[in-house]
Amino acid sequence: LPATVEVDELAKELRRLLMRFGDGHAMVRSPFESPGSLYLPFLLADSADGLVAFAPDRSGFLAPGRPHVVAIDGMTIDDFMDAGRPWMVDGSEQLVRRRIIRGFRGLAWVREQLGQPASDHVNCLLASGEDDPDPIEMTLPMARRMPTYGSWPRRDSGILDSNIGYLRIPEMSDRMVPHIRSAMADFRRTKGLVIDVRGNGGGTRSPLLVLAGYLRGPDESPWVASIARYRLSERFDEDHLEARFMKRADDSDWSSAQREAIASAAADFEPEWDRAEGFSDWHYLVLDRTGAAGEYFYDKPVVVLSDSGCFSATDIFLGALSGRPRVTLVGRPSGGGSARAQGFRLSNSGIEVRCASM
């Protein structure tokens, strides 16, 4: 008789397999999988001194004077991190840690995966710092609704003290384009610009193209921001990467200056991993002036703020601006990842899968 396997077990093992490939966009979901009905009643986040617990509305720490979490359900945070790694993409250390920390919210599901008993309460050990000789225990009821982080920091774009422009981009989406153009019009006479993309999980690359139009000097050339191939498949058309504003080197739409930028980038390009067979030719994302009304050259210093929540299109954003004249990146390393992710459903089991195509 043929071997059989439960759908949930198949989904579980398929996820563990896909997580080994380092694709931060990968996802596997069983049609029978329940996300659980009980959640951690607070939020967790990294600080310079360790993991802290705070109220979902960000009104304060879970325990005043003892913000740091030492253990949950009797397991140290390091033990939780080690136990959670097989379920997370084998990506950068900061990406793995951030996702495990955020995954704590689904504590009922985590307990199930770790073989721990279910409970409608959670026990926490909290301390004032690493050397606290007297940490306290708190037992709290689990929440019926998953707490959400929301966009953070919650600050609007505007002009700061000392005439410094502050451009907050909480998401990479087309709807940010008019916001960026309006803000840049206000920042024309500022002494410097801060671009804040902390916590931005990605989306489209249109905000990058718009902003780059202000950052290319009159005596500077266009530049290549990203190079990629896509997996050849009957599912993908010739313009599969057009949604990422990427084209082949021989595309007729390139200007002579853009062609020169591509040739220069291609000459020095040495990918860490490459497989030409079964993949398309290289595609290029070139940044240049857009020619939009009101666009001007912003010639003052620019600082870009990043953290581990920066992912996908925001990684491309940071990489594109890194090393550019007048631009400095400040903060923590981004998560790392770009995929042109594709989703499909396995016909027999109904399992949903998402994975990279480039």
Side-chain angles (χ1 to χ4, degrees):
L1 293 175
T4 61
V5 62
E6 295 294 330
V7 171
D8 281 352
E9 278 300 310
L10 175 60
K12 181 185 297 185
E13 293 307 314
L14 182 56
R15 173 170 182 164
R16 289 167 69 99
L17 175 64
L18 281 184
M19 292 302 100
R20 297 176 63 184
F21 286 89
D23 175 11
H25 294 76
M27 178 276 295
V28 177
R29 181 183 294 123
S30 165
F32 307 112
E33 181 179 342
S34 172
S37 57
L38 294 175
Y39 304 96
L40 205 64
F42 51 85
L43 294 174
L44 296 167
D46 263 326
S47 73
D49 299 318
L51 199 64
V52 296
F54 53 97
D57 62 1
R58 297 183 182 265
S59 58
F61 292 120
L62 185 63
R66 285 186 170 83
H68 298 284
V69 182
V70 178
I72 297 177
D73 284 348
M75 284 184 66
T76 67
I77 298 303
D78 287 343
D79 287 341
F80 263 117
M81 290 292 170
D82 291 340
R85 287 181 185 276
W87 301 101
M88 296 297 161
V89 61
D90 187 19
S92 69
E93 183 63 28
Q94 58 269 23
L95 177 67
V96 173
R97 183 174 177 86
R98 182 182 179 89
R99 291 193 173 181
I100 292 177
I101 289 172
R102 292 193 165 216
F104 279 138
R105 290 177 295 170
L107 186 57
W109 184 88
V110 172
R111 285 167 169 166
E112 181 181 346
Q113 305 312 309
L114 297 180
Q116 295 179 340
S119 173
D120 58 1
H121 286 74
V122 58
N123 183 269
C124 306
L125 189 64
L126 302 164
S128 60
E130 183 178 353
D131 300 324
D132 187 351
D134 191 26
I136 64 169
E137 284 193 33
M138 288 184 69
T139 299
L140 303 168
M142 295 278 279
R144 296 287 177 180
R145 180 177 298 178
M146 181 181 289
T148 58
Y149 283 87
S151 178
W152 189 264
R154 295 172 185 158
R155 180 166 190 159
D156 295 330
S157 300
I159 298 178
L160 308 177
D161 294 342
S162 302
N163 195 28
I164 302 296
Y166 173 81
L167 177 61
R168 172 64 176 147
I169 306 179
E171 61 186 58
M172 294 296 170
S173 66
D174 292 341
R175 69 178 184 175
M176 294 303 300
V177 169
H179 170 72
I180 293 172
R181 293 207 181 280
S182 175
M184 290 305 294
D186 294 339
F187 299 157
R188 187 162 195 152
R189 293 179 176 82
T190 54
K191 296 192 301 184
L193 175 62
V194 174
I195 302 173
D196 190 349
V197 293
R198 289 175 295 174
N200 188 326
T204 180
R205 300 179 181 185
S206 53
L208 170 60
L209 270 71
V210 170
L211 193 60
Y214 294 91
L215 300 181
R216 183 198 153 184
D219 299 324
E220 297 169 359
S221 301
W223 73 97
V224 173
S226 180
I227 306 175
R229 302 184 191 269
Y230 67 86
R231 183 78 182 224
L232 296 176
S233 168
E234 61 183 16
R235 292 168 55 94
F236 308 146
D237 297 327
E238 283 282 311
D239 61 354
H240 180 61
L241 296 186
E242 190 172 302
R244 299 298 184 266
F245 301 97
M246 305 187 77
K247 300 175 183 177
R248 291 173 172 82
D250 61 359
D251 193 279
S252 60
D253 287 342
W254 297 124
S255 68
S256 58
Q258 291 167 346
R259 290 180 187 278
E260 290 178 9
I262 291 172
S264 176
D268 297 331
F269 181 51
E270 295 183 7
E272 293 184 19
W273 180 88
D274 184 25
R275 188 185 185 94
E277 182 181 356
F279 284 78
S280 73
D281 294 334
W282 290 113
H283 287 58
Y284 299 85
L285 170 64
V286 180
L287 299 180
D288 201 351
R289 296 193 192 94
T290 69
E295 185 179 76
Y296 64 92
F297 171 41
Y298 189 84
D299 60 352
K300 306 302 191 303
V302 177
V303 169
V304 184
L305 304 181
S306 73
D307 66 5
S308 63
C310 298
F311 181 66
S312 193
T314 312
D315 272 299
I316 300 298
F317 182 96
L318 293 168
L321 298 185
S322 176
R324 295 300 302 169
R326 301 166 299 279
V327 178
T328 303
L329 269 58
V330 175
R332 295 184 176 182
S334 62
S338 185
R340 186 67 168 99
Q342 302 292 300
F344 54 94
R345 186 185 299 271
L346 303 186
S347 57
N348 291 330
S349 63
I351 293 173
E352 294 179 62
V353 179
R354 185 175 66 234
C355 57
S357 64
M358 74 174 185

